[in-house]
Amino acid sequence: QKEVEQDPGPLSVPEGAIVSLNCTYSNSAFQYFMWYRQYSRKGPELLMYTYSSGNKEDGRFTAQVDKSSKYISLFIRDSQPSDSATYLCALKAGSGNTPLVFGKGTRLSVIA
Amino acid sequence: DGGITQSPKYLFRKEGQNVTLSCEQNLNHDAMYWYRQDPGQGLRLIYYSQIVNDFQKGDIAEGYSVSREKKESFPLTVTSAQKNPTAFYLCASSTLQGMIGALYFGAGTRLSVL
């Protein structure tokens, strides 16, 4: 079993829809959880950062972490065509200087 | 503006040739990283460095080499031993304080084989 599993999609939704993106993980040592957005042919940019179970909201984006189920989600409300990108989850263990472990990314298209 | 600068944006390599990808940051970050991205493969870690003059191999270090002589710079050399170098290469940096583990990426270098 891979450390981090993420459905690659592609996921296609109409403009204004609520989007749910998910990752599951197997290593209970992960304590820091991030979501990155990557536009085509660009570097990923940090979208959300959290280190505890529960919800964190930033504008139209909500990151949710359920450590008991080893499940993290990113919700996008009122999705826009400009949200069309690949979304990668990234997790880090709490101890030591271990690098991030990335999911493979989900490609999202929001259709106007 | 603070950030990470990768150059060149596009690079072509002839068979048997070594090529070097540049990465410079002015964020005063201690740690720097190189990732390779292939379609459907996600991001794979090549090398990373926590401090100057020290670096560690990632998951796919074979055929690559790095140096870290200055805090701001972390160049990656793709050697002739790397038989399948065509990919999108991303450099990143992170601070060891604050948002632990959060990476900040450059715009990437796309390497192709002639």
Side-chain angles (χ1 to χ4, degrees):
Chain A
Q1 182 186 12
K2 293 188 192 301
E3 278 196 291
V4 180
E5 300 274 6
Q6 183 177 11
D7 187 337
L11 180 62
S12 185
V13 301
E15 183 176 356
I18 296 175
V19 176
S20 172
L21 304 167
N22 311 294
C23 287
T24 59
Y25 62 95
S26 56
N27 187 352
S28 58
F30 288 133
Q31 292 191 20
Y32 301 94
F33 306 92
M34 285 149 263
W35 286 94
Y36 285 82
R37 178 176 62 196
Q38 185 177 22
Y39 292 113
S40 182
R41 300 179 179 270
K42 303 289 186 184
E45 56 179 325
L46 181 64
L47 199 57
M48 299 289 282
Y49 178 98
T50 185
Y51 55 85
S52 59
S53 282
N55 293 351
K56 180 178 181 180
E57 194 171 313
D58 184 359
R60 297 184 294 109
F61 299 90
T62 299
Q64 187 176 80
V65 175
D66 182 346
K67 288 186 178 180
S68 62
S69 300
K70 298 187 179 67
Y71 191 87
I72 65 172
S73 300
L74 178 71
F75 298 97
I76 307 174
R77 291 184 299 279
D78 187 25
S79 56
Q80 303 295 309
S82 58
D83 295 326
S84 298
T86 296
Y87 291 81
L88 302 104
C89 62
L91 295 76
K92 180 175 169 22
S95 61
N97 292 322
T98 55
L100 288 184
V101 178
F102 283 88
K104 290 191 174 183
T106 300
R107 183 186 291 180
L108 171 68
S109 293
V110 181
I111 310 301
Chain B
D1 283 311
I4 299 176
T5 302
Q6 289 188 243
S7 62
K9 192 170 183 179
Y10 299 97
L11 187 59
F12 298 91
R13 193 192 89 166
K14 294 179 182 177
E15 195 167 337
Q17 186 183 39
N18 292 354
V19 292
T20 297
L21 285 61
S22 171
C23 179
E24 303 277 333
Q25 55 101 356
N26 61 4
L27 299 168
N28 199 32
H29 284 175
D30 294 293
M32 296 187 74
Y33 307 77
W34 275 105
Y35 286 87
R36 170 177 171 146
Q37 189 173 35
D38 297 276
Q41 294 277 350
L43 292 170
R44 293 187 288 171
L45 183 63
I46 305 173
Y47 270 99
Y48 64 104
S49 168
Q50 304 280 1
I51 56 173
V52 174
N53 292 323
D54 188 40
F55 46 83
Q56 287 78 41
K57 292 182 179 180
D59 301 318
I60 55 164
E62 186 173 350
Y64 301 96
S65 65
V66 293
S67 62
R68 186 88 187 276
E69 297 177 1
K70 298 187 301 181
K71 186 177 183 178
E72 302 80 19
S73 179
F74 192 42
L76 173 74
T77 297
V78 183
T79 74
S80 56
Q82 173 49 247
K83 297 306 179 188
N84 184 23
T86 297
F88 190 46
Y89 290 86
L90 288 159
C91 179
S93 69
S94 69
T95 177
L96 299 179
Q97 303 173 16
M99 290 199 295
I100 295 171
L103 295 180
Y104 297 87
F105 286 88
T109 293
R110 192 163 297 276
L111 175 62
S112 302
V113 176
L114 287 176

